[in-house]
Amino acid sequence: MKLSKLYGIGVGPGDPELLTIKAYKILKEVDMIVTPRSSEDKRSLALLTIEGIINERKNEPIVVEPVFPMTKDQAKLDFYWEKAREEVLKNMKDMKGCETVAFITLGDPSLYSTFYRFLKIFKDVVDEVEVVPGVTSFSACSSIAKTPIAEGNEIVSIVLDITGNDNAVQIIKNSDSLIFLKLKNMDKIKTMLGNKKAIIGIKVGFKDQKMFFGGLNELQQPDHYLSTLIVKKEPQD
Amino acid sequence: MKLSKLYGIGVGPGDPELLTIKAYKILKEVDMIVTPRSSEDKRSLALLTIEGIINERKNEPIVVEPVFPMTKDQAKLDFYWEKAREEVLKNMKDMKGCETVAFITLGDPSLYSTFYRFLKIFKDVVDEVEVVPGVTSFSACSSIAKTPIAEGNEIVSIVLDITGNDNAVQIIKNSDSLIFLKLKNMDKIKTMLGNKKAIIGIKVGFKDQKMFFGGLNELQQPDHYLSTLIVKKEPQD
């Protein structure tokens, strides 16, 4: 059993209007949609983003929502990825004539997405792969704040967890602008950067998005992993 | 004379299908479209991206294409920005009932775009501003190469001109992945990074896009300023 095409689709930050026209067209036609979620009792946020498109369709696609728990335990992750693969293959078989699958991911597939992991465990059953880029959360965050991240020759760095990462300390020192995704270590970042002008976006693009602007020292550690902190060393005049 | 709304719109990397649905809807309705170009004898590449949308419209928008020469001469730039402002204002006046203007920019407005400069010289005549994020050239480049830029906790840095920039040297040393935009100094980058696995995209997203993959040492300095180099220190297996 082979699949004629697997799409890796970035659905953007959460606002359905921030999907690309290309993603929209593919999601209207594809036979199966695979969307990861963090636990059995939580909905997939990527799926929430494209719910309107599924409702618009004449024929309903099969939607597979494998669970990938938030863990660094590699054995556990391998187990769940293999389970996801089996679930997709079983659905393909049951469906008969399932030719195309779209694996959707929030933001853009190039940055910290699960798509390439999925591709690795799945590529032996796929004839052709196409990746569709999407709008990142930091682009959306900057847009809402109406503040650019970088101009001229400024250097921008994207950092996730800085715990025990010596390179991150140097990066924070040498970049003109910093983007922290899935924001952790807020206290350490404050200590390192001082009271710079900053923006925090939580669930940016979704209906319940929250934005905070101010001096870095006034801002709090967000309570959701979909959080983006942008710090510019030279504030705009 | 006041404008009810100014939009700053990222039209993505060049492929009309990579526009967001939001950008598409606004560009179908807006009274005036402003698009920068680098010289009198060159077409605006951002405008080329949205040509299809303009052709689809029932009523044609006014299109203003101010020239911004590629120069670091601040006095010269100030002169051209003031000229652009006057050109837009004159067209608004001639048009009567011009309520909405979209300033379009390739990629995303948050990174190295001219939109925020335009906003600065123009904001006294605007009631409301909305920024619409777009897909970046590096997301598009990664998608075409089917290679992620970063996974896990990898640090990504975006660098432009590295000439005389000591911070850039440290950034190149400490980042896991590097994105060079408007690629210059290819020889220096090769010397600093060695023969790492790399991707170059030239005019990615446009019909005449070119992509080169290989060891960094095999790749040449591109002949167009719309060029993106992605280097990953730890190549994918």
Side-chain angles (χ1 to χ4, degrees), chain B residues 140-182:
Chain B
C141 203
S142 159
S143 289
I144 296 164
K146 292 168 201 161
T147 304
I149 297 171
E151 296 174 291
N153 285 330
E154 289 174 345
I155 298 175
V156 181
S157 297
I158 309 169
V159 179
L160 279 84
D161 197 356
I162 62 178
T163 315
N165 187 342
D166 290 340
N167 285 340
V169 176
Q170 292 302 319
I171 289 288
I172 290 172
K173 207 171 131 191
N174 291 296
S175 302
D176 300 304
S177 284
L178 287 149
I179 298 165
F180 296 92
L181 300 178
K182 300 181 192 178

Side-chain angles (χ1 to χ4, degrees), chain A residues 197-237:
Chain A
K197 201 173 161 187
I199 305 158
I200 289 181
I202 304 165
K203 293 189 79 183
V204 162
F206 288 93
K207 276 180 189 156
D208 53 346
Q209 73 178 23
K210 288 180 207 153
M211 300 279 298
F212 299 98
F213 309 87
L216 193 49
N217 286 345
E218 302 150 37
L219 306 181
Q220 302 304 314
Q221 173 72 42
D223 55 0
H224 196 280
Y225 75 99
L226 283 185
S227 51
T228 305
L229 168 67
I230 298 172
V231 185
K232 273 204 83 161
K233 289 205 187 151
E234 301 291 336
Q236 291 303 106
D237 56 358

Side-chain angles (χ1 to χ4, degrees), chain A residues 17 25 112 154 156-158, chain B residues 17 25 112 154 156 158:
Chain A
E17 298 245 299
K25 285 184 181 169
Y112 314 104
E154 289 173 346
V156 181
S157 297
I158 309 169
Chain B
E17 299 245 299
K25 284 185 182 170
Y112 315 104
E154 289 174 345
V156 181
I158 309 169

Side-chain angles (χ1 to χ4, degrees), chain A residues 36-96:
Chain A
R37 55 185 169 147
S38 57
S39 71
E40 285 286 356
D41 59 340
K42 281 201 179 121
R43 297 211 44 200
S44 154
L45 290 170
L47 187 61
L48 191 65
T49 307
I50 63 153
E51 217 171 27
I53 302 175
I54 294 178
N55 292 338
E56 270 177 30
R57 284 178 55 144
K58 280 174 210 155
N59 62 332
E60 260 193 55
I62 296 275
V63 177
V64 179
E65 296 181 72
V67 173
F68 301 114
M70 297 258 183
T71 174
K72 285 182 178 175
D73 180 340
Q74 197 53 52
K76 203 168 176 183
L77 284 172
D78 287 343
F79 171 81
Y80 278 98
W81 279 107
E82 187 49 42
K83 207 174 149 188
R85 180 188 145 98
E86 277 164 23
E87 201 179 339
V88 172
L89 288 176
K90 190 191 172 304
N91 272 287
M92 270 169 63
K93 211 171 166 185
D94 290 353
M95 204 179 169
K96 285 189 184 83

Side-chain angles (χ1 to χ4, degrees), chain A residues 7-175:
Chain A
Y7 295 96
I9 298 191
V11 298
D15 179 349
E17 298 245 299
L18 292 180
L19 246 86
T20 62
I21 293 165
K22 191 167 194 172
Y24 175 82
K25 285 184 181 169
I26 293 166
L27 292 167
K28 287 271 275 190
E29 298 295 337
V30 84
D31 297 322
M32 186 191 296
I33 294 169
V34 181
T35 176
R37 55 185 169 147
S38 57
S39 71
E40 285 286 356
D41 59 340
K42 281 201 179 121
R43 297 211 44 200
S44 154
L45 290 170
L47 187 61
L48 191 65
T49 307
I50 63 153
E51 217 171 27
I53 302 175
I54 294 178
N55 292 338
E56 270 177 30
R57 284 178 55 144
K58 280 174 210 155
N59 62 332
E60 260 193 55
I62 296 275
V63 177
V64 179
E65 296 181 72
V67 173
F68 301 114
M70 297 258 183
T71 174
K72 285 182 178 175
D73 180 340
Q74 197 53 52
K76 203 168 176 183
L77 284 172
D78 287 343
F79 171 81
Y80 278 98
W81 279 107
E82 187 49 42
K83 207 174 149 188
R85 180 188 145 98
E86 277 164 23
E87 201 179 339
V88 172
L89 288 176
K90 190 191 172 304
N91 272 287
M92 270 169 63
K93 211 171 166 185
D94 290 353
M95 204 179 169
K96 285 189 184 83
C98 176
E99 293 283 323
T100 52
V101 169
F103 183 97
I104 59 173
T105 175
L106 279 177
D108 176 63
S110 75
L111 294 170
Y112 314 104
S113 92
T114 46
F115 171 66
Y116 287 99
R117 180 70 202 266
F118 183 78
L119 180 59
K120 212 178 276 178
I121 60 146
F122 208 75
K123 63 182 168 192
D124 59 315
V125 290
V126 174
D127 278 334
E128 199 188 337
V129 176
E130 184 171 347
V131 186
V132 180
V135 170
T136 64
S137 68
F138 55 81
S139 291
C141 204
S142 159
S143 288
I144 296 163
K146 291 168 201 162
T147 304
I149 296 171
E151 298 175 291
N153 285 331
E154 289 173 346
I155 297 174
V156 181
S157 297
I158 309 169
V159 180
L160 278 85
D161 196 356
I162 63 178
T163 316
N165 187 341
D166 290 341
N167 285 341
V169 176
Q170 293 302 320
I171 290 288
I172 290 172
K173 206 171 133 190
N174 291 296
S175 303

